[in-house]
Amino acid sequence: MRRTVRGTSTAALACVAATLLTSVAAAAPGPGSPTVGDPYYPNAGNGGYDVSHYDIRLTYQPTTDVLSGTTTITATTTQELSRFNLDFGLRVSSVLVNNVAATFSANAAGDGELVVTPARPLAKGAPVTVVVAYNDRPSTVKINGFTSWVKTADGALAVNEPEIASWWYPSNDHPTDKATFDVSVEVPDSVVALSNGTLVRTTKNRTGWTRWWWRSTQPQATYLTSLEVGKFEVNRQTTPDGKPFVTAYGADLGDSLGAAKASVERTPEINEFLATQFGPYPFEAQGGVVTTAIGFALENQTRPVYGARGFIAGSNASLVAHENAHQWFGDSVAVGRWSDIWLNEGFATYAQYLWSEHVGEGTAAELAQYVYDSKPADDPFWQVLPGDPGADRQFDAAVYDRGAAAVHALRSQVGDEKFFQILKTWQATKKGGTGRIEEFTALAERIAPNRPVRQLLKVWLYTPGKPFAGPNGPTAR
Ligand code: ARG
Ligand code: ZN
């Protein structure tokens, strides 16, 4: 889903026949690109089409780790296509393109590329429906040498960044092609199946099994689409502004349960605060899932997932502030390239500083200054560039902490009024899409034209070594 092409499919439909005829005279249709060309992840995403919706309809059996079913992809072609790629690693049994069987090659090189050749070439600008049927054990599947699906004692988790989709549904796996989602997963009655957005309904079609149907109605990046199966305490509530608020706590949280609840149940209050800083909460639902099965947290759209160890030392509203700040910075406005990760982690970490100040703990200025003062100039920390850390260091502490100090340095330079104007304008103009650091820099320059914003971000994001001036400016100390 690229916002610029939304709404063209009806017109495109009327042109299919004409386009097919003229294509005879034009160049022969070629294959879609097997990549979007993101330098950090050369296999990520594909070219030649634009997905608008995924309808994922699966059955999962935890005792065997067998995942089976279909994903139906609704897309529009952006060129004539003799064949195209999806990103997917599981064993495929059939592919239909516009209801006609297609030939396919599934993960033949172990690189997670599903190559689909339709019976006849596809015209440019045409609606296309692709149905992929599959059946595999995701925990046994390696893509580019990695596993990403997590099998647990009573279920499984599809929660990871930047790559998880290919272990459970075929996709155009890059944040630049967002789509809406229906995720319907049938599991044994003893467990639950959670995903993003709103629970449309649960149904029981056969003895011993329940189907959980979740729906995301706003553009959502593929890696932010999650599945959690297992024994969870599920709480369905409503936020003060009337949105579904679904939280789920793993049945094995033990001593962490109290602290997890004391933190995650505050999500609506935290989002209400963040909305005063960034603009309106961007999605139709809120929530959180806490599990012992992962050692990190991830900002899955509408419903972040928290590793229980985040609450091992007691309640941690700061972590909840971080993951929910990503609903704005990361989810509603996603990275245009994975090298733009500062736009996610720098701002989500800075949101923790804002929350800290809001609740009367350390101020944002103090916390940013602490990052600066606590690392001597020869610390390798200062050699990682938040603006282009490299794929191996995408989640390095410097992306978070130097990244957040960089945000504060910008604030010190332009002043509070322009700073929050920049953040809110960024959110309002990029909502539902993607952004690049260069675009953010240009916006900041436009709002604060007589400040050396570009030079400041160059020093903080792209220059190795400890910046000469701290995040509160050269006169602050
Ligand atoms: N975006 C996540 C966060 O909020 C980081 C995820 C890191 N990925 C991982 N597999 N550990 O911090
Ligand atoms: Zn983060």
Side-chain angles (χ1 to χ4, degrees), residues 407-428:
V407 174
H408 193 76
L410 173 67
R411 179 177 174 179
S412 303
Q413 187 57 252
V414 304
D416 282 8
E417 193 184 325
K418 290 198 163 168
F419 174 72
F420 288 105
Q421 190 189 342
I422 292 166
L423 300 195
K424 286 178 175 163
T425 305
W426 179 250
Q427 286 299 321

Side-chain angles (χ1 to χ4, degrees), residues 19-297:
T19 312
L20 277 173
L21 286 174
T22 53
S23 72
V24 176
S33 172
T35 172
V36 297
D38 189 317
Y40 281 23
Y41 301 98
N43 290 317
N46 308 288
Y49 61 92
D50 181 9
V51 178
S52 57
H53 189 72
Y54 294 91
D55 188 303
I56 303 170
R57 192 176 177 86
L58 304 172
T59 294
Y60 183 65
Q61 172 52 273
T63 56
T64 57
D65 190 39
V66 171
L67 182 71
S68 60
T70 59
T71 289
T72 302
I73 298 170
T74 311
T76 303
T77 58
T78 56
Q79 64 175 76
E80 290 187 83
L81 285 173
S82 58
R83 63 166 201 261
F84 61 88
N85 283 30
L86 290 162
D87 299 307
F88 196 45
L90 304 191
R91 190 171 50 225
V92 171
S93 51
S94 69
V95 179
L96 298 180
V97 177
N98 296 336
N99 294 306
V100 178
T103 56
F104 59 90
S105 153
N107 197 17
D111 58 356
E113 295 295 327
L114 169 60
V115 185
V116 178
T117 307
R120 40 181 86 237
L122 305 175
K124 178 180 177 177
V128 56
T129 302
V130 183
V131 184
V132 180
Y134 49 98
N135 184 320
D136 208 342
R137 289 187 296 141
S139 61
T140 67
V141 172
K142 283 193 175 181
I143 302 173
N144 300 318
F146 290 96
T147 58
S148 200
W149 176 269
V150 175
K151 178 76 193 83
T152 67
D154 53 19
L157 294 181
V159 176
N160 214 341
E161 180 184 14
E163 294 178 306
I164 183 59
S166 292
W167 280 266
W168 70 289
Y169 68 96
S171 75
N172 187 19
D173 190 18
H174 195 270
T176 45
D177 194 0
K178 294 184 182 183
T180 54
F181 283 78
D182 280 281
V183 177
S184 164
V185 180
E186 184 189 46
V187 291
D189 288 342
S190 55
V191 296
V192 305
L194 303 155
S195 186
N196 314 72
T198 303
L199 182 63
V200 180
R201 68 174 71 112
T202 59
T203 51
K204 289 185 64 62
N205 300 329
R206 54 178 176 137
T207 308
W209 293 77
T210 301
R211 179 170 287 282
W212 297 70
W213 175 12
W214 299 89
R215 171 172 284 172
S216 277
T217 60
Q218 311 262 29
Q220 180 168 292
T222 47
Y223 81 96
L224 294 169
T225 305
S226 57
L227 175 65
E228 302 93 27
V229 175
K231 295 192 203 305
F232 287 88
E233 172 195 327
V234 180
N235 303 298
R236 300 179 60 191
Q237 303 168 77
T238 306
T239 63
D241 59 346
K243 292 176 176 177
F245 174 49
V246 179
T247 57
Y249 301 92
D252 59 350
L253 287 189
D255 288 347
S256 302
L257 179 62
K261 279 192 177 174
S263 315
V264 177
E265 294 300 319
R266 293 182 71 181
T267 297
E269 175 200 352
I270 290 167
N271 279 329
E272 206 174 328
F273 166 69
L274 294 174
T276 68
Q277 310 292 293
F278 305 150
Y281 179 80
F283 300 120
E284 73 274 29
Q286 300 187 23
V289 178
V290 186
T291 170
T292 57
I294 54 173
F296 57 95

